[in-house]
Amino acid sequence: MKQRLTYILFLLLVASSARSQTTVTGTVTDGREPLAGANVYIIGTIDGCLSDSLGRFSFQTDRMGEVTLRVTFLGFDDYSLTTSQLTDLVIKMHERATAIDEVVVTASTYSFGKSDNFKTMDALDVVMSGNSCGDIVAALQTLPGTQKVGESGKLYVRGGDSDECQTFVNGMHVLVPYSTNTENNAVRGRFSPFLFKGINFSLGGYGGEYGQALSSVLPMETTDVATGDKLGVSASLVDWNLGGTKALLKSSLSFNADYTSMGLYNNLFPDRYDWTRPYRKLSGEAQYKNELSSTTVLKSYVGYDLTSVGQHIDNRNLSLVEHNFYVNTTLKTNIGKGYTLFTGAAWSSVLNNIDDALTLGDHYHNNRNELHLKAEVRKVFSPVLKMSGGTEDYLRHSTKRYEESRYTLDYHLPAAHLDAQLRVVPNVFLNLSTRAEQELYNHRWLFLPRTSLSYVPNNRFQLSAIWGRYSQTANDDYVAMSGKLLSQSTADHLILSMQHSTDKTLLRIEPYHKKYHRLPLLTKGTYTADGYGTSKGLDVFFECHSLVKNLSTTLSYSYNDSRRYYLDYSAEQIPDYASRHNLRVTAKYAIGKTIIGLADSYASGRHYTVGTTPYYNSLDANITWLVSPKVIVYSSLNNILGRTNIFRYGTDGKPVTATRDRFFYIGIFVSLKNNKAYDISNF
């Protein structure tokens, strides 16, 4: 019996040994070249190996008969094969096709904050960017495509007027996104950078969702529900701020109050102007955010600005007072079967009163109101198709009284859009959209087709071509003077975009061409839609974090050739706000808890009937000291070299310059209640 048992055990061991000798061999390729490092294994076992530099693999298994072989490789679809033939296998892998909801096309758009794209700017960067002094608009002027118009301070994009760039908060329109000031004094954006988690500045070629913007859009998304309480204060020579957030169970309530006054600064550093009342602005903001469920978010924002300033000009005392009110409420929810519903309403109201506006004793009154209503549905139908569609309406009312010139305007601008994004083949994406807007007063519909084709082989490289038609209603003054007959202006955008990025660098090159139609043109005392124009150029942006440790640099260059025949122009000419060349170079270096920044801005001269202005140049420096995790000190000095830059020439031929050649700013930001280091957000 013992001999039999020994014999049986011997046979089992031999059989087991024979089974363990089965060898699996083969090669992994992509159809062209071998793939090294592919993971090859048999499902249900630990038997497997990685392919070598020639794509070959070889390993042993104790499985007999039919098995299921699995091969995985980063960037390729998983491969499965059920077979009993385990030698000399040839495995051909296919590149994984990016799902439509995974791709982010960045052509002609710069995304900041919490974004899937290359992160170049967040709220602290806005505060610490060159001469921005915490102004979003000034910080965005470091990007290509923007032009330096020092006497305005607004965004001028790719040869377009400042009115052609429109601002949206959580998808809802802001009628007047700037503060006000006297003529030839730069204004600021009226929103705090700490209000937003994401800023997507599009220089053109945007989708059908956005309308009433002829050149560019600035969509900004507010922060999500806060998870902790905050309380912060800041102070400088020109402004003082207090704000905080109370975090609730699934909601949060925030407030912010800001007072700006140039009185103290003007006393310390007098400028060229004769002020009868220093520039003052009192601002208040509040936000309420509520996560009603895991798929439903409600956001509400309300803000109010009161601005006043007085200036002695010739024999008159100009006095300006503006009230600017904005409220915004949005709801985003999943309504089932993969559909997402967005609804929103925004109300803007701006009241301007100016005494001694143009002559002694006159009075200017202007009141503008807008109610923006919007609804949109989005759905990802499959890995190759994503669609969205919506409808909206702009309901506007405005009144103006100046001496004998008076008008009242009431109109609305209904619109609808449909967008479809398709994955044509792996790594090639086509976006088709159309937008329909009703023409002002004549009830005809204007159709605006838009399309883009993008090649996105990986998250490093993108190549895109964009074409689209965009429209915008003219300024209310022009509409009233036309007898309410002025039709909407349109612009055709053609943009090519190439972007390449690594962990440390970003390079983007974009040539573009815009053609304007039906611009307002003053003809025989009234405005007609007979104006036209073109704008073409090249934008280059380069950002680098690899030259020296702790050093980040950017280079932004724009070439623009813009010509127009509109407004009161007697012939086609270069707009007086456009400069042919704009260049900006920045550097930011961190030494311990101190960050030093330098920025040099250059713009070629601007053309006027009386001549061309000299070139603009300003070398700016700033220092940020992270005193403690809750205290930040920031200081900046603009135009270190003290160059007297001529912004423009007035109608009398006299040069218009800044109020002062240099501007010094120092501020302290303190978090009184916050568990995050260096987070000075009051929201």
Side-chain angles (χ1 to χ4, degrees):
M1 179 64 70
K2 289 182 178 180
Q3 288 179 342
R4 286 184 177 181
L5 289 174
T6 302
Y7 179 69
I8 292 172
L9 289 173
F10 175 75
L11 291 177
L12 290 174
L13 288 172
V14 171
S16 175
S17 176
R19 291 180 62 187
S20 67
Q21 298 304 309
T22 302
T23 303
V24 183
T25 64
T27 304
V28 183
T29 75
D30 63 358
R32 301 179 303 274
E33 298 178 350
L35 295 179
N39 186 22
V40 186
Y41 62 96
I42 294 176
I43 292 180
T45 74
I46 60 173
D47 302 332
C49 69
L50 297 178
S51 60
D52 63 17
S53 60
L54 297 178
R56 299 173 303 192
F57 63 89
S58 177
F59 64 91
Q60 293 183 337
T61 181
D62 60 1
R63 291 296 178 94
M64 299 293 291
E66 192 173 80
V67 299
T68 299
L69 191 73
R70 174 68 58 84
V71 184
T72 62
F73 190 74
L74 184 64
F76 288 76
D77 291 329
D78 292 350
Y79 179 94
S80 295
L81 173 66
T82 301
T83 181
S84 58
Q85 170 61 41
L86 300 179
T87 59
D88 298 325
L89 297 172
V90 177
I91 308 298
K92 182 180 178 181
M93 303 287 286
H94 297 279
E95 285 193 64
R96 185 176 69 87
T98 304
I100 197 71
D101 57 340
E102 295 176 330
V103 67
V104 179
V105 177
T106 61
S108 208
T109 298
Y110 290 85
S111 298
F112 310 123
K114 296 178 181 177
S115 168
D116 293 331
N117 305 318
F118 193 91
K119 182 178 178 180
T120 61
M121 188 182 300
D122 57 21
L124 272 179
D125 289 323
V126 171
V127 171
M128 299 184 294
S129 174
N131 61 352
S132 70
C133 297
D135 181 21
I136 291 177
V137 174
L140 291 175
Q141 290 172 357
T142 65
L143 296 175
T146 61
Q147 299 196 306
K148 184 65 179 181
V149 185
E151 75 278 18
S152 167
K154 299 179 181 180
L155 283 172
Y156 291 76
V157 178
R158 289 180 171 171
D161 199 306
S162 62
D163 290 339
E164 297 176 20
C165 178
Q166 295 297 306
T167 301
F168 296 82
V169 172
N170 293 335
M172 306 306 298
H173 186 240
V174 181
L175 186 61
V176 180
Y178 303 103
S179 62
T180 189
N181 210 333
T182 59
E183 187 179 9
N184 298 322
N185 278 275
V187 300
R188 290 170 58 90
R190 61 181 298 247
F191 295 107
S192 165
F194 301 105
L195 175 65
F196 305 101
K197 69 172 182 179
I199 300 173
N200 296 285
F201 183 37
S202 176
L203 301 175
Y206 34 93
E209 177 185 359
Y210 296 110
Q212 290 301 305
L214 211 54
S215 278
S216 60
V217 293
L218 177 60
M220 302 187 288
E221 184 180 356
T222 58
T223 55
D224 295 325
V225 174
T227 57
D229 294 348
K230 298 180 181 181
L231 183 63
V233 296
S234 64
S236 73
L237 294 175
V238 297
D239 59 352
W240 299 265
N241 177 280
L242 169 67
T245 293
K246 179 63 179 177
L248 305 173
L249 183 61
K250 289 187 176 181
S251 62
S252 59
L253 181 64
S254 306
F255 78 95
N256 186 62
D258 182 88
Y259 177 67
T260 301
S261 174
M262 291 297 297
L264 174 61
Y265 194 93
N266 288 342
N267 288 333
L268 294 174
F269 309 102
D271 62 9
R272 297 184 175 97
Y273 286 9
D274 184 6
W275 303 103
T276 59
R277 185 171 70 251
Y279 177 91
R280 298 189 183 103
K281 186 179 75 165
L282 178 64
S283 302
E285 299 171 283
Q287 281 193 94
Y288 176 70
K289 293 162 284 189
N290 193 327
E291 292 183 355
L292 300 174
S293 71
S294 60
T295 59
T296 304
V297 177
L298 172 72
K299 290 184 177 182
S300 292
Y301 167 85
V302 58
Y304 169 74
D305 294 345
L306 170 60
T307 307
S308 68
V309 62
Q311 182 184 352
H312 181 74
I313 305 174
D314 299 328
N315 64 336
R316 58 192 173 94
N317 292 320
L318 181 146
S319 176
L320 183 153
V321 176
E322 180 186 85
H323 302 267
N324 193 332
F325 182 78
Y326 178 72
V327 60
N328 174 315
T329 298
T330 62
L331 178 71
K332 186 176 181 180
T333 183
N334 189 329
I335 56 177
K337 296 184 178 180
Y339 287 93
T340 300
L341 173 66
F342 171 89
T343 58
W347 182 52
S348 300
S349 181
V350 183
L351 175 63
N352 262 299
N353 284 293
I354 307 176
D355 292 323
D356 286 6
L358 296 177
T359 61
L360 183 64
D362 68 4
H363 178 73
Y364 173 90
H365 168 89
N366 182 222
N367 185 16
R368 301 173 61 195
N369 298 275
E370 177 188 81
L371 176 62
H372 182 207
L373 304 174
K374 183 176 181 180
E376 185 180 55
V377 176
R378 303 175 183 176
K379 178 177 171 62
V380 178
F381 286 91
S382 73
V384 300
L385 176 63
K386 177 171 63 175
M387 295 188 69
S388 65
T391 181
E392 64 183 331
D393 202 354
Y394 297 83
L395 295 89
R396 293 176 176 172
H397 167 82
S398 64
T399 60
K400 174 185 172 182
R401 296 193 305 270
Y402 179 68
E403 301 301 285
E404 302 301 322
S405 175
R406 297 168 180 247
Y407 68 74
T408 298
L409 282 179
D410 288 284
Y411 60 93
H412 73 120
L413 300 165
H417 75 91
L418 182 65
D419 285 70
Q421 187 173 348
L422 304 94
R423 190 187 71 205
V424 183
V425 295
N427 306 323
V428 177
F429 301 88
L430 176 66
N431 192 88
L432 298 171
S433 69
T434 183
R435 182 178 177 88
E437 295 181 351
Q438 192 177 74
E439 288 262 33
L440 183 64
Y441 291 112
N442 61 21
H443 305 298
R444 292 181 301 182
W445 285 86
L446 183 66
F447 290 94
L448 309 165
R450 304 170 186 179
T451 184
S452 66
L453 183 66
S454 301
Y455 174 58
V456 189
N458 49 55
N459 60 1
R460 303 285 190 183
F461 180 79
Q462 285 193 25
L463 182 65
S464 300
I466 304 171
W467 179 87
R469 178 161 293 174
Y470 305 84
S471 71
Q472 187 171 350
T473 302
N475 182 286
D476 285 350
D477 287 350
Y478 308 151
V479 173
M481 288 185 64
S482 73
K484 303 179 182 179
L485 298 176
L486 192 60
S487 57
Q488 292 187 186
S489 302
T490 62
D492 295 333
H493 295 198
L494 177 60
I495 304 169
L496 298 178
S497 177
M498 186 281 290
Q499 175 175 301
H500 183 269
S501 63
T502 67
D503 294 336
K504 299 288 187 178
T505 62
L506 171 68
L507 172 66
R508 179 178 290 182
I509 301 173
E510 288 191 356
Y512 63 89
H513 184 279
K514 292 194 293 184
K515 190 169 185 178
Y516 292 91
H517 309 273
R518 306 197 300 182
L519 294 176
L521 178 67
L522 186 60
T523 305
K524 297 180 180 179
T526 187
Y527 280 96
T528 66
D530 296 327
Y532 56 86
T534 60
S535 180
K536 54 189 176 182
L538 174 70
D539 294 334
V540 178
F541 181 75
F542 179 70
E543 182 166 8
C544 181
H545 299 267
S546 61
L547 293 176
V548 177
K549 186 180 180 180
N550 299 328
L551 174 69
S552 62
T553 58
T554 66
L555 182 147
S556 173
Y557 170 73
S558 295
Y559 167 82
N560 177 259
D561 180 9
S562 179
R563 297 180 183 276
R564 288 195 175 197
Y565 179 46
Y566 84 135
L567 299 184
D568 58 351
Y569 289 11
S570 58
E572 185 179 15
Q573 65 185 62
I574 300 173
D576 56 23
Y577 54 76
S579 49
R580 184 65 57 90
H581 303 278
N582 282 265
L583 174 67
R584 184 174 177 89
V585 180
T586 70
K588 187 168 62 176
Y589 184 69
I591 307 174
K593 293 186 177 182
T594 302
I595 303 170
I596 301 173
L598 283 174
D600 188 72
S601 300
Y602 165 87
S604 56
R606 291 157 53 187
H607 298 276
Y608 291 85
T609 55
V610 297
T612 301
T613 65
Y615 68 88
Y616 170 91
N617 184 247
S618 178
L619 178 63
D620 311 319
N622 61 83
I623 298 176
T624 304
W625 180 27
L626 308 177
V627 181
S628 76
K630 293 189 177 184
V631 179
I632 298 176
V633 175
Y634 169 81
S635 64
S636 66
L637 178 61
N638 299 339
N639 196 17
I640 296 174
L641 302 179
R643 176 183 171 84
T644 300
N645 288 300
I646 297 176
F647 294 142
R648 61 186 300 268
Y649 292 115
T651 55
D652 56 2
K654 294 181 179 180
V656 174
T657 66
T659 60
R660 48 175 58 86
D661 290 332
R662 296 185 180 92
F663 187 84
F664 174 70
Y665 179 90
I666 183 168
I668 181 171
F669 304 85
V670 182
S671 293
L672 300 177
K673 187 176 183 181
N674 196 349
N675 57 5
K676 290 184 179 181
Y678 306 117
D679 180 3
I680 58 176
S681 167
N682 293 329
F683 286 99

